[in-house]
Amino acid sequence: MQTILVIEDEMPILVAIEDVLSDAGYSVLTARNGQQGLKYALEENYHLIILDLMLPRLDGLTLLKRLRKQDPHVPVIILTAKSQEMDKVIGFNSGADDYMIKPFGIHELVARVKVRLKNAQVHTQMLENYELEGITFDFKAVRAYQGKKKLNFSVKELELLQYLISHKGRAVSREKILEDVWKYNMDQAPLTRSVDNYILKLRQKVEKNPERPKHLLTVHSKGYCFED
Ligand code: CA
């Protein structure tokens, strides 16, 4: 299931968006001020973010600038009340992918969301090399070494590790891992346990103490997170 973060302080609009996106089959998380919205946006990877500009605590444009420093690729659709604000958005080259001027048709919004999600690809900058616990990972060549000795990692193990390392410090859900690493469509193949099995195997291979992992961490009710 694709996850969308909606940051909007006007309750009727927020509720309407949440309802219509849930009906369309998306998982929706909401925030009602800019500070909370930024926190959510930085903590986890979303497939798309819908962002109101006029927000308490932190305005939408500032939020977007801070978000873009860490995540240049997540699609963002901006909601704005006035066309004057819109001029600002365009003038500041804010990093938004699309915008809607209020009042807008809710179904128009869903249509735009669908287009954005279709166009969005996995854009995360994937690391090509990494050193961990004395092991050198060459993800490009799909190899792992300890000194000169080649270690036995499967292609999928290395892809999963590369993916998690590339998302270092951020929790990634099993569903998102399956979608991005296994390329499954979640509606068809809810095999989240295979992710767990791979994590167990990877822990055996890279953790000093696999029972008490330091790098491949389980984040309760969220998924997995890589830490140095
Ligand atoms: Ca507002």
Side-chain angles (χ1 to χ4, degrees), residues 1 178-179 182-190:
M1 193 185 269
L178 276 177
E179 258 177 55
W182 271 263
K183 316 287 182 210
Y184 280 142
N185 178 340
M186 281 316 298
D187 300 333
Q188 295 161 7

Side-chain angles (χ1 to χ4, degrees), residues 13-162:
I13 299 178
L14 183 63
V15 169
I17 294 175
E18 192 180 9
D19 283 353
V20 78
L21 289 177
S22 302
D23 286 349
Y26 301 110
S27 166
V28 184
L29 202 90
T30 62
R32 291 187 58 196
N33 67 63
Q35 219 171 55
Q36 190 185 36
L38 181 64
K39 184 169 173 278
Y40 287 172
L42 293 177
E43 266 173 8
E44 235 182 293
N45 289 302
Y46 296 91
H47 292 88
L48 185 136
I49 295 175
I50 295 173
L51 173 66
D52 183 33
L53 283 191
M54 296 275 279
L55 290 166
R57 304 228 192 132
L58 184 71
D59 72 273
L61 279 182
T62 309
L63 188 162
L64 185 54
K65 268 183 216 151
R66 292 193 197 162
L67 172 67
R68 280 294 179 234
K69 277 187 196 156
Q70 191 166 325
D71 189 343
H73 300 299
V74 61
V76 174
I77 299 177
I78 273 185
L79 309 178
T80 171
K82 294 177 291 220
S83 50
Q84 287 104 301
E85 282 177 4
M86 215 46 247
D87 297 343
K88 237 164 64 175
V89 173
I90 296 161
F92 276 123
N93 191 14
S94 59
D97 298 273
D98 200 355
Y99 59 87
M100 301 202 69
I101 295 173
K102 294 176 180 176
F104 54 82
I106 197 84
H107 295 287
E108 164 85 20
L109 177 65
V110 177
R112 301 251 189 131
V113 165
K114 284 185 179 157
V115 169
R116 284 294 143 201
L117 286 173
K118 213 170 163 189
N119 293 345
Q121 289 156 1
V122 185
H123 272 308
T124 305
Q125 195 74 34
M126 293 292 247
L127 285 168
E128 292 183 352
N129 302 287
Y130 207 79
E131 298 265 344
L132 184 68
E133 299 284 6
I135 304 171
T136 306
F137 293 95
D138 182 344
F139 293 119
K140 209 171 175 192
V142 203
R143 286 192 182 127
Y145 296 93
Q146 197 153 33
K148 296 213 163 146
K149 189 179 148 216
K150 187 173 176 290
L151 299 177
N152 198 9
F153 281 82
S154 73
V155 173
K156 206 41 100 182
E157 284 167 357
L158 288 176
E159 282 177 358
L160 174 59
L161 190 62
Q162 179 187 27

